[in-house]
Amino acid sequence: MFGCIVAGRLVQTDAQQIAEDKFVFNLPDYESINHVVVFMLGTVPFPVGMGGSVYISYPDSSGMPVWQLLGFITNEKPSAIFKISGLTSGVGSQHPFGAMTIPQMPSVAQIGISVEPQEQLAQQTPVASAAPSTLDAFTQFTQKMLESFYNYATSFTVSQMQMTPNPSELFIPASVVLKWYEIFQRRLSQNPNFWKT
């Protein structure tokens, strides 16, 4: 019913069914994983009005499992990417796997999927840092970097009257920096990946 992908590893479709509505994938060497993709195989849909909460569990310093809600999948949203690097410093959250004894080794994390009503899914709050990186975040960073450069460069502006002649020094008019900034921002808004070509 479910699959799981970690970059550089084989696709996992062998989820252990630990209860009628609960499934678990093992993720060995979880410390080296940045993102995980959880998806429906397309062979068995969720019952009408149901979806799957996606959790991650990793052992804390005492070896006890710590569960955190990553998000959810449904028939309408059959796959999701989650950022899991850095979650081990977090605190566990309420989860449906608490009463179950699921064997877990020290360097193995687990992805748990719990089939639940969609109304319940909508009321749950995933751990904030599990959201995958987005292009919007990159675009925001780039715009902040451009603004910072422009502000820094223009903080050194002097009028032509204030300039001290120095034959070894080159000067760039502030209007040139401003024009570059405007062109770069326009190109970034048209195609955030233009710089890759």
Side-chain angles (χ1 to χ4, degrees):
M1 186 170 179
F2 303 109
C4 180
I5 299 175
V6 173
R9 300 185 186 183
L10 294 173
V11 174
Q12 293 184 37
T13 58
D14 59 344
Q16 299 172 354
Q17 186 169 2
I18 56 173
E20 184 181 336
D21 58 351
K22 310 247 182 312
F23 303 84
V24 174
F25 287 102
N26 288 321
L27 300 178
D29 191 25
Y30 71 93
E31 296 93 345
S32 66
I33 301 173
N34 290 318
H35 294 80
V36 64
V37 178
V38 177
F39 60 96
M40 297 177 64
L41 296 176
T43 54
V44 180
F46 284 112
V48 175
M50 302 294 277
S53 290
V54 180
Y55 292 84
I56 186 167
S57 168
Y58 53 87
D60 66 10
S61 57
S62 65
M64 297 302 296
V66 175
W67 288 91
Q68 291 183 335
L69 177 64
L70 298 175
F72 64 90
I73 56 176
T74 63
N75 291 334
E76 294 76 30
K77 181 185 171 243
S79 64
I81 302 171
F82 303 106
K83 180 179 178 188
I84 63 170
S85 60
L87 291 182
T88 57
S89 59
V91 183
S93 61
Q94 199 171 23
H95 60 86
F97 298 94
M100 301 180 177
T101 311
I102 307 168
Q104 193 166 9
M105 295 181 287
S107 65
V108 177
Q110 293 176 319
I111 293 292
I113 302 168
S114 176
V115 179
E116 301 170 0
Q118 286 186 353
E119 299 82 42
Q120 189 174 333
L121 297 177
Q123 296 173 9
Q124 297 173 346
T125 306
V127 63
S129 58
S133 310
T134 64
L135 200 54
D136 289 338
F138 172 75
T139 302
Q140 288 174 354
F141 165 75
T142 305
Q143 287 175 334
K144 291 291 183 191
M145 181 187 65
L146 289 170
E147 290 171 15
S148 176
F149 169 72
Y150 179 76
N151 291 336
Y152 178 78
T154 58
S155 71
F156 294 98
T157 57
V158 292
S159 69
Q160 205 166 19
M161 296 293 291
Q162 297 169 318
M163 288 198 310
T164 308
N166 185 349
S168 63
E169 191 80 36
L170 296 174
F171 292 95
I172 301 171
S175 61
V176 170
V177 175
L178 178 60
K179 185 163 181 73
W180 168 82
Y181 170 77
E182 291 169 347
I183 290 170
F184 196 94
Q185 263 203 316
R186 179 178 43 80
R187 291 182 69 195
L188 187 65
S189 67
Q190 291 172 347
N191 176 9
N193 293 313
F194 83 92
W195 56 273
K196 291 182 177 181
T197 60

